[in-house]
Amino acid sequence: MSGIVFVCSTRRLARALRLVHVREQLARGAERWQPAPVQTLAQFLDEVIGGALLRGEIPVERVPALALSAQQERILWERAIEDALHTDPAQALFDIAGMAATAEEANRLLEEWCIALPAGDHNEETRQFLRWREAFRAQCARHDALEPARLLDLSVTLLERGAGRLPTVIHLAGFDRISPQLQRLLDALAARGVVVQPLTAALAQPAQALQAAYDDAEAECRAAAAWAAAQLAQQPGCRLAIVAPELSVQRARLAAALDDALHPERVLPAQAEAPRRYDFSLGTALAGQPMVACALALLRAACRHRRLAQREVGVLLREVYWSAGVSEADDRARLEANLRRRLPATLALEEVLRHARHAQAEGLGVGRLVRHLQALLERAATWPRRQGAAAWAAALAETLAATGWPGERPLSSHEYQARRAWEEVLAELAGLDALLGTLGAEQALGRLGRLCRERIFQPEAADETPLQVLGMLEAAPAPFDAIWVLGMNDHAWPPPARPNPLLPAAAQRAAGAPNSCSRVQAEFAAALQRRILHSAPFVVFSWARRAGERELRPSPLLAGLPAWQEAPAPALSLSERLAQPAAMEWLDDSRAPPLQAGEQVRGGTGLLRAQAICPAWAYYRYRLGARALEEAVDGLDSMERGNLLHAVLQCFWSGRDSAWLGTLDGPKLEAAARTAVDAGVAQFVAARGQALPAQFLALERQRLQALLIAWLALERERAPFTVQECERRVTLEIAGIRVELTLDRVDALEDGRLLVLDYKTGEVGIASWAQARISEPQLPVYAALALSGEEVAAVCFAQVRAEEQKFVGVTAEAGLLSGVKGLEEARRLFPERQFPGWQALLEHWRASIVAVAEEIRVGEAAVRFADEADLAWCEVKPLLRLPERQLQLERGRR
């Protein structure tokens, strides 16, 4: 090795330096050139020591057989801690992985910063760490391995003894903090005649620096994005940077703001991977990449195939990265809807396969899905109970291939890079074979998932982008034209001290170790800020005034900087821009086509309720047929429980009266209730068409019997009555709308008048019965229309709940029903001026319901409602586009 070498602190900086070299050569008009000699510190030492080994300058026995990777080191720390805690009864409660990461950091600090532990007694945390460290080193000796911190020490020792061929000049790039260990390396290089110089992209004069404050972090990000868009519009060839101390926290928000400002067209799914004019230095976890997430989900399904959450199965069915995810997508969606209706929330993969085969036999196009599901189960059945990590890596890759992963369509550039990273992670898992021993399938998959979560994935940009988004620690390979530094609040900058809990805090402070105290952090932050001030002629530091309800302050390092008088206002988001009235053509689309002759709209009183609350809800849900997919549950959902209670009450009351109820004493009442419960459960199960577990039905019978007996205690207090009808089906024609109803129960009082009841197991209210638009129209429809030829004297909900049983409604006169007010007593809700008598109330109900039905007939479909809370159970709420509507209203008021 001879000449000049550039040694960088990070791989990204090394790549950036290479690009700078290429750009300079192209600017000179060179047609061919030598690549820049740029390496990371680890690559440089590997080349020097490796060359010395090959030339025989270093005896092989003096170099460890294994240089531990980060994962390998973590495994040995975990094993050391597990061995130390194996007798502790609370071992299962410990976060071994978290403890290993903290111990690894403590060990690295000891080696790199030469922290001197005081003699004598240590606190319990330090004593535990020293025991773990001894066990860790024993593990390393057993495997003839060294962790990176001690390997660097060994490399320095070998260099001090004359090993290796060295360049004449080394330029250091990106090393903002020099540890004693690194200083020892630099001294060893200098002693052997190497000229070591810092490489800096600094400008001679500090930048013009200004500060700007914004309402919150969202506004701050949008202002930075607006600034970048304006700079690039004015100077297309400029180089800009946006820097953030907490880039991982700001990444998603900043990416959305930059897309809105620079690439509004990228909102389309097809543009997700299109090139951007900005590039983030910080990637995301490989496990978060859709293709890799699909692979992990498939393997988890194979591993836990006997007990899966149906939501996991639904996610898999919607994935495009396996089987025929594109050509069979529609049929897979229909299959998922079927599974939600027919299967419980927890199921076996074999059940999914059985239902998929049945759906295929009925004409659903899921043939390749069936084959791949079967292949997944067959592969999982061949897995041994335990095997080595390398064998598991091969088995998992084969299993994925058997499912058609990564899908049937060609991979994009980003997807190809993600697949390559996945293969590297599998190779890394295989490389842990010697350290991990034999593993079960769950353990192997857990280790693979951890590798994917810890692997940071950042797709490589095809070309250099004009806007770089960087973390605070990243050095620039060349000066920028301007820099915006956001998030400069006092809680983030300087970074708060975070001394390692396993080492004495005083010893860390004495060594000046990173994160040891506020003084060290402030000095380091000031040094980084000085570097930024020399990296561009113009720098803006911004901060947020608030985070939610919390008031924020600027960083103390901004003291003395003048305020930016020309600070840009936060740019409008894409949705806000679309909602601006001045930039839009207004079109009143609140009218749907009127109902045609013979057109049927189904929905019963649910249709009338939706129209009364919000006409658009009724239009989307009942005329267009849009609805939310069902949510699978184990056992019965709330609606099915309500239907089961209806069946039991019908079986108890059909053809009965209050006199019969009065003849039932304790044992007879229990026997009658048990008979009704058994009959109701049998009727419900037969109608449901799907068996329920015997243990579950036994518990449901106990619950229903207790609930029924509690309810009958309230029924005993009533005046004499006869149950005239139960669960009667009625079809009405209202303003040309066909409405199908089911009357839960109609009682005849002694004087022949009727009481209409509707069973409810949840909270109910009748406030809307006095309003022009009745949002609870079921009972008013029964009383005013379905029974219009009868004399109805009371309309009530029967609230049948374990914690409370009561009647909620209104009666023609006081005293007809316990706990229910007569019309004259309920004047606060039903004022006399508007409702002088019972018939006036019935006429109000009839007119209101007919008016709502007439709206449906003529096509009224506006997004109009009195209270958004009334839309809590709206299945089509996303189609109402309420956030966009709110933005339009806000812009219209300005």
Side-chain angles (χ1 to χ4, degrees):
M1 181 178 287
S2 62
I4 299 175
V5 173
F6 297 85
V7 177
C8 301
S9 58
T10 65
R11 288 178 179 270
R12 179 180 175 83
L13 180 55
R15 178 176 178 270
L17 277 177
R18 294 189 193 102
L19 288 175
V20 168
H21 176 67
V22 171
R23 190 168 63 244
E24 289 177 350
Q25 298 300 321
L26 290 173
R28 292 174 185 169
E31 295 183 0
R32 58 182 66 180
W33 58 84
Q34 291 293 324
V38 181
Q39 297 174 310
T40 63
L41 180 59
Q43 291 169 341
F44 169 72
L45 291 175
D46 283 347
E47 183 173 338
V48 172
I49 302 303
L53 275 171
L54 291 173
R55 291 189 298 272
E57 298 174 11
I58 303 173
V60 175
E61 60 271 13
R62 295 187 57 187
V63 179
L66 178 62
L68 294 174
S69 66
Q71 278 296 324
Q72 291 169 330
E73 182 181 3
R74 186 72 56 81
I75 289 168
L76 292 188
W77 277 110
E78 289 175 6
R79 186 165 298 164
I81 294 172
E82 287 170 353
D83 291 346
L85 298 177
H86 77 279
T87 58
D88 194 317
Q91 181 186 4
L93 302 178
F94 295 139
D95 176 13
I96 300 296
M99 295 164 73
T102 305
E104 179 186 340
E105 181 193 55
N107 180 66
R108 187 176 66 253
L109 288 173
L110 280 177
E111 297 293 339
E112 291 183 2
W113 289 87
C114 303
I115 296 175
L117 296 180
D121 289 338
H122 301 295
N123 59 29
E124 179 59 29
E125 288 80 6
T126 303
R127 284 198 296 272
Q128 282 279 17
F129 166 67
L130 292 176
R131 285 195 289 271
W132 299 344
R133 191 183 190 214
E134 185 178 350
F136 170 76
R137 291 195 166 184
Q139 294 273 6
C140 288
R142 188 174 304 120
H143 294 282
D144 190 17
L146 281 182
E147 74 276 22
R150 283 194 293 161
L151 190 61
L152 181 56
D153 259 347
L154 175 61
S155 299
V156 174
T157 300
L158 294 173
L159 290 176
E160 289 172 336
R161 294 178 181 177
R165 296 177 182 174
L166 299 174
T168 56
V169 179
I170 292 179
H171 291 290
L172 292 180
F175 292 91
D176 292 298
R177 184 152 37 190
I178 305 296
S179 68
Q181 186 186 52
L182 182 56
Q183 187 60 54
R184 183 184 162 209
L185 170 62
L186 300 181
D187 292 342
L189 292 171
R192 292 187 56 184
V194 179
V195 178
V196 180
Q197 298 175 338
L199 176 68
T200 160
L203 301 172
Q205 296 298 320
Q208 176 193 4
L210 303 170
Q211 64 168 306
Y214 292 93
D215 287 342
D216 53 27
E218 178 73 28
E220 189 182 4
C221 286
R222 285 198 269 159
W227 167 81
Q231 293 292 313
L232 292 172
Q234 294 168 10
Q235 306 175 55
C238 67
R239 295 185 68 249
L240 306 175
I242 294 178
V243 181
E246 297 181 309
L247 184 54
S248 60
V249 176
Q250 298 274 37
R251 190 186 197 282
R253 183 185 292 125
L254 192 51
L258 289 171
D259 266 355
D260 276 354
L262 298 174
H263 303 285
E265 73 282 359
R266 300 296 194 257
V267 73
L268 299 173
Q271 298 290 323
E273 295 184 9
R276 263 67 169 173
R277 300 177 71 188
Y278 65 87
D279 185 34
F280 276 89
S281 65
L282 177 70
T284 56
L286 180 62
Q289 295 301 307
M291 178 193 298
V292 175
C294 175
L296 292 172
L298 282 168
L299 296 174
R300 278 194 300 270
C303 192
R304 307 167 190 167
H305 62 93
R306 292 186 178 85
R307 187 172 179 81
L308 285 173
Q310 191 176 136
R311 63 177 177 275
E312 296 178 68
V313 176
V315 169
L316 276 179
L317 290 176
R318 295 191 293 274
E319 286 284 3
V320 299
Y321 291 107
W322 71 291
S323 189
V326 177
S327 57
E328 293 183 356
D330 291 345
D331 290 310
R332 275 162 60 160
R334 294 185 183 94
L335 174 63
E336 184 189 353
N338 272 340
L339 296 179
R340 285 171 176 253
R341 283 194 298 270
R342 299 178 182 177
L343 293 183
T346 306
L347 43 72
L349 198 57
E350 288 82 355
E351 291 179 88
V352 178
L353 176 58
R354 185 168 59 253
H355 274 264
R357 283 175 174 156
H358 180 70
Q360 183 187 10
E362 292 184 341
L364 210 58
V366 289
R368 291 174 64 186
L369 173 69
V370 167
R371 291 198 301 275
H372 286 127
L373 274 178
Q374 184 172 345
L376 181 66
L377 287 168
E378 289 172 352
R379 288 284 181 172
T382 64
W383 291 350
R385 290 177 59 84
R386 300 185 70 82
Q387 61 181 349
W392 275 119
L396 297 179
E398 291 170 2
T399 301
L400 281 179
T403 66
W405 184 89
E408 59 185 341
R409 61 175 175 78
L411 299 182
S412 67
S413 173
H414 289 193
E415 290 167 340
Y416 176 79
Q417 293 178 60
R419 180 175 183 176
R420 189 172 60 187
W422 166 261
E423 291 167 351
E424 290 170 1
V425 167
L426 281 178
E428 191 174 351
L429 176 65
L432 303 178
D433 208 356
L435 300 180
L436 288 175
T438 60
L439 304 170
E442 287 271 9
Q443 292 172 302
L445 190 54
R447 182 67 62 177
L448 180 62
R450 188 189 303 180
L451 288 171
C452 290
R453 289 190 295 274
E454 294 179 358
R455 172 73 174 264
I456 299 301
F457 175 74
Q458 177 77 340
E460 293 185 4
D463 300 304
E464 189 177 15
T465 55
L467 173 59
Q468 297 291 318
V469 185
L470 308 171
M472 208 69 171
L473 298 179
E474 295 184 83
F480 291 102
D481 295 303
I483 296 176
W484 184 301
V485 187
L486 54 80
M488 295 293 282
N489 288 96
D490 63 349
H491 68 274
W493 194 254
R498 186 188 54 81
N500 188 285
L502 300 179
L503 299 176
Q508 295 181 65
R509 288 195 297 271
N515 302 307
S516 59
C517 64
S518 57
R519 176 187 59 80
V520 169
Q521 296 297 81
E523 291 174 355
F524 184 56
L528 290 181
Q529 194 161 319
R530 282 193 298 272
R531 168 163 61 74
I532 289 173
L533 288 171
H534 285 80
S535 296
F538 180 78
V539 178
V540 177
F541 296 95
S542 66
W543 53 281
R545 296 188 182 94
R546 285 188 303 276
E549 298 299 320
R550 183 163 61 102
E551 294 289 332
L552 300 181
R553 296 175 299 185
S555 166
L557 297 181
L558 300 187
L561 290 183
W564 191 11
Q565 301 302 323
E566 300 177 10
L572 298 178
S573 69
L574 180 60
S575 57
E576 287 176 319
R577 293 204 299 274
L578 291 175
Q580 291 186 83
M584 296 183 66
E585 177 184 350
W586 285 88
L587 175 67
D588 184 2
D589 62 348
S590 62
R591 285 277 178 175
L595 289 180
Q596 301 299 314
E599 182 179 349
Q600 296 295 321
V601 182
R602 298 184 179 275
T605 55
L607 168 63
L608 299 173
R609 177 176 183 271
Q611 183 73 24
I613 294 174
C614 176
W617 176 0
Y619 175 66
Y620 290 131
R621 172 64 184 89
Y622 294 99
R623 288 194 65 185
L624 297 186
R627 63 184 177 86
L629 287 173
E630 297 178 31
E631 289 292 335
V633 298
D634 287 323
L636 303 176
D637 59 22
S638 57
M639 180 177 291
E640 288 181 310
R641 284 177 180 273
N643 292 339
L644 179 54
L645 178 64
H646 276 63
V648 169
L649 288 166
Q650 178 186 9
C651 290
F652 184 88
W653 279 116
S654 292
R656 306 285 170 71
D657 57 18
S658 57
W660 174 77
L661 177 61
T663 65
L664 300 178
D665 57 11
K668 289 182 179 179
L669 180 63
E670 289 188 5
R674 189 179 306 111
T675 300
V677 167
D678 289 343
V681 168
Q683 177 181 315
F684 173 81
V685 172
R688 189 171 188 262
Q690 185 178 349
L692 290 166
Q695 301 92 327
F696 177 81
L697 287 178
L699 291 173
E700 276 297 304
R701 287 189 177 94
Q702 292 178 20
R703 182 187 71 85
L704 288 166
Q705 182 155 345
L707 186 60
L708 179 58
I709 290 174
W711 173 251
L712 293 176
L714 180 64
E715 295 263 33
R716 283 177 181 274
E717 300 173 3
R718 291 178 53 189
F721 65 88
T722 300
V723 177
Q724 183 169 298
E725 291 179 309
C726 284
E727 303 297 329
R728 173 189 166 193
R729 295 187 177 277
V730 178
T731 300
L732 295 177
E733 191 86 15
I734 307 175
I737 307 296
R738 181 185 176 92
V739 180
E740 296 180 353
L741 314 171
T742 300
L743 278 65
D744 288 355
R745 180 170 148 193
V746 179
D747 290 357
L749 306 179
E750 280 189 306
D751 59 5
R753 291 184 298 172
L754 302 182
L755 184 154
V756 184
L757 288 176
D758 189 69
Y759 297 123
K760 293 293 182 184
T761 56
E763 288 289 345
V764 292
I766 63 170
S768 72
W769 289 359
Q771 298 170 1
R773 303 182 72 83
I774 301 174
S775 60
E776 287 290 348
Q778 192 166 6
L779 284 172
V781 169
Y782 296 165
L785 295 166
L787 299 173
S788 59
E790 307 282 348
E791 188 176 358
V792 177
V795 178
C796 296
F797 291 112
Q799 191 167 302
V800 188
R801 307 174 69 192
E803 58 270 25
E804 183 182 24
Q805 301 83 36
K806 63 180 179 180
F807 293 103
V808 179
V810 63
T811 61
E813 59 205 51
L816 287 183
L817 198 59
S818 174
V820 179
K821 293 180 179 180
L823 182 62
E824 292 300 325
E825 300 171 303
R827 287 305 183 186
R828 186 173 180 179
L829 180 60
F830 302 101
E832 186 173 10
R833 180 175 57 82
Q834 187 178 357
F835 306 103
W838 182 252
Q839 289 302 319
L841 177 60
L842 293 178
E843 178 56 30
H844 163 73
W845 288 348
R846 189 199 66 77
S848 174
I849 291 161
V850 169
V852 167
E854 180 64 21
E855 285 184 3
I856 298 171
R857 190 185 67 79
V858 300
E860 176 60 36
V863 180
R864 183 183 67 240
F865 50 87
D867 186 351
E868 190 172 339
D870 294 336
L871 298 171
W873 301 105
C874 177
E875 291 183 284
V876 296
K877 196 171 180 179
L879 298 178
L880 304 183
R881 298 163 63 184
L882 298 185
E884 294 177 41
R885 175 181 181 274
Q886 183 62 30
L887 282 171
Q888 289 177 358
L889 293 175
E890 289 176 2
R891 296 293 177 191
R893 287 195 292 266
R894 291 180 185 178

